[in-house]
Amino acid sequence: MLHDKIMQLKKEKDAVILAHNYQLPEVQDVADYVGDSLGLSRQAAKTPHKTILFCGVHFMAETAAIICPDKKVLIPDLAAGCSLADSINVDQLRDWKQQHPGAITVGYVNTSAEVKSELDYCCTSSNAVNVVKAIPKDKDVLFLPDMFLGSYVAKMTGRKNMYIWAGECHVHAGIRSEDIHKLLDSNPNSELLVHPECSCTSQIMYDVAVGDYKNRQVQIMSTEGMMNYAKQSTGQNFVVATETGILYRMQQQNPEKNFIPASRGAICQYMKMITLDKVYSSLMEEKYEVRVPKQTADKARLAIDRMLAIN
């Protein structure tokens, strides 16, 4: 059985398998740790194993390679990219910085290593608000690349001097407020969990503020925040607005609760490119290694270390 062969290979190769919440269920099942970008970065930073097999998308494996220059970092499929990370390149960022001299640049972890090397701070959805709060109020902030997360952070921090790049994740951009309302109407006792990358986040915040959700619980949080909330809540039914891969782990951890995707079409084809066969081949042949040039990695590490230091 492939699952058992992978478990054996992990020991032989002294490898740890890290998997994102959006990975296929069978890939999550062979992972030593499943989580969001921040949690995966923290696990990579402290692993004693000599090889990290990263089941996620390319920028995540790059981040692990930057944090752990002494480790071998593998990704089972080099083509596993990210539409959000592709929405800005390093030349575009340099041009943007030139237009705003003295501004502090904050970049979502969903960016290439080259882009990270031009940042002052890296962040994830779980600590983006706190990262921006840590910046002096009189400093302009350039936030990239996700416009929906950026809009959410601007609202939560009350910043008026924040400029936001017009990038988006194609999966989260397709989750619409009106679809969520219909689902909640047909599941009246459900709580709503929303990822701040969703295009509907600002509308939902407005709807909550004007009372459209009445007394219903609405939580806007990272995927790991959703996981923790679902475990702790006394609620039984949840509408979940993010990529559908998270539902597998949610259901595993809370078998007595019900989880409904806000959009059944919210599937990231890049996350689903990694299969159990590819995980096995990657471990067996020690392919494909992700390397970041030392000069780029050294510059990017500063922004990532700042991210890891802020809860």
Side-chain angles (χ1 to χ4, degrees):
M1 191 178 166
L2 211 47
H3 177 284
D4 297 335
K5 287 179 180 177
I6 290 167
M7 301 310 265
Q8 184 59 38
L9 262 181
K10 272 198 303 190
K11 292 177 191 167
E12 291 173 15
K13 301 278 188 179
D14 189 21
V16 63
I17 298 180
L18 306 180
H20 192 272
N21 285 318
Y22 300 160
Q23 289 289 297
L24 293 168
E26 57 268 30
V27 172
Q28 292 188 37
D29 286 345
V30 296
D32 297 285
Y33 180 86
V34 181
D36 65 3
S37 298
L38 185 59
L40 294 170
S41 296
R42 289 193 164 131
Q43 288 296 318
K46 69 184 185 185
T47 185
H49 300 280
K50 70 177 186 182
T51 298
I52 297 169
L53 181 70
F54 216 112
C55 299
V57 291
H58 197 267
F59 77 79
M60 296 178 180
E62 273 189 337
T63 303
I66 291 164
I67 297 169
C68 312
D70 57 329
K71 310 279 186 191
K72 179 180 277 191
V73 178
L74 305 174
I75 188 167
D77 192 326
L78 279 171
C82 171
S83 61
L84 179 55
D86 288 345
S87 70
I88 188 167
N89 62 41
V90 71
D91 292 329
Q92 290 171 312
L93 176 53
R94 286 176 184 144
D95 287 345
W96 200 32
K97 286 169 70 174
Q98 281 185 345
Q99 294 164 33
H100 300 275
I104 303 293
T105 51
V106 178
Y108 196 21
V109 74
N110 298 43
T111 45
S112 70
E114 277 196 315
V115 166
K116 286 185 179 74
S117 73
E118 288 286 333
L119 300 175
D120 294 302
Y121 288 89
C122 205
C123 72
T124 69
S125 57
S126 55
N127 72 355
V129 170
N130 287 339
V131 167
V132 172
K133 278 183 178 174
I135 297 166
K137 286 187 167 57
D138 61 335
K139 289 280 189 184
D140 286 354
V141 174
L142 303 183
F143 190 95
L144 61 115
D146 189 275
M147 59 183 169
F148 303 119
L149 179 61
S151 173
Y152 171 71
V153 171
K155 283 187 172 68
M156 295 302 288
T157 59
R159 269 196 187 258
K160 304 293 182 225
N161 56 346
M162 190 165 150
Y163 301 87
I164 300 166
W165 189 261
E168 64 178 32
C169 159
H170 71 288
V171 175
H172 286 102
I175 298 175
R176 302 181 309 164
S177 176
E178 52 266 40
D179 295 336
I180 290 173
H181 272 291
K182 285 177 190 168
L183 268 176
L184 292 173
D185 287 343
S186 56
N187 297 275
N189 298 318
S190 298
E191 297 188 41
L192 174 60
L193 307 180
V194 184
H195 195 288
E197 271 183 48
C198 292
S199 61
C200 57
T201 301
S202 292
Q203 182 63 46
I204 286 169
M205 287 176 75
Y206 174 78
D207 291 346
V208 170
V210 299
D212 278 4
Y213 283 91
K214 302 182 175 66
N215 296 321
R216 191 188 295 277
Q217 286 292 319
V218 178
Q219 308 295 332
I220 299 171
M221 47 184 50
S222 69
T223 55
E224 208 55 31
M226 290 181 183
M227 293 298 311
N228 294 331
Y229 183 83
K231 274 192 285 191
Q232 293 160 11
S233 173
T234 56
Q236 290 298 300
N237 302 296
F238 301 85
V239 170
V240 184
T242 189
E243 209 271 356
T244 58
I246 196 174
L247 298 177
Y248 175 67
R249 187 169 160 229
M250 280 185 161
Q251 201 68 71
Q252 269 193 321
Q253 292 186 2
N254 308 276
E256 76 291 355
K257 297 179 180 181
N258 302 310
F259 299 97
I260 305 154
S263 168
R264 294 194 183 278
I267 297 168
C268 175
Q269 71 262 37
Y270 297 114
M271 282 285 185
K272 305 303 190 254
M273 289 175 82
I274 294 174
T275 62
L276 218 49
D277 283 318
K278 290 177 184 176
V279 171
Y280 177 75
S281 297
S282 184
L283 266 181
M284 188 63 150
E285 300 170 43
E286 298 188 22
K287 65 176 189 183
Y288 301 91
E289 188 171 358
V290 176
R291 290 182 177 169
V292 178
K294 187 178 185 308
Q295 188 177 3
T296 303
D298 288 346
K299 287 175 71 182
R301 197 172 295 115
L302 177 62
I304 294 168
D305 285 346
R306 286 173 175 165
M307 170 187 79
L308 295 175
I310 296 173
N311 288 323

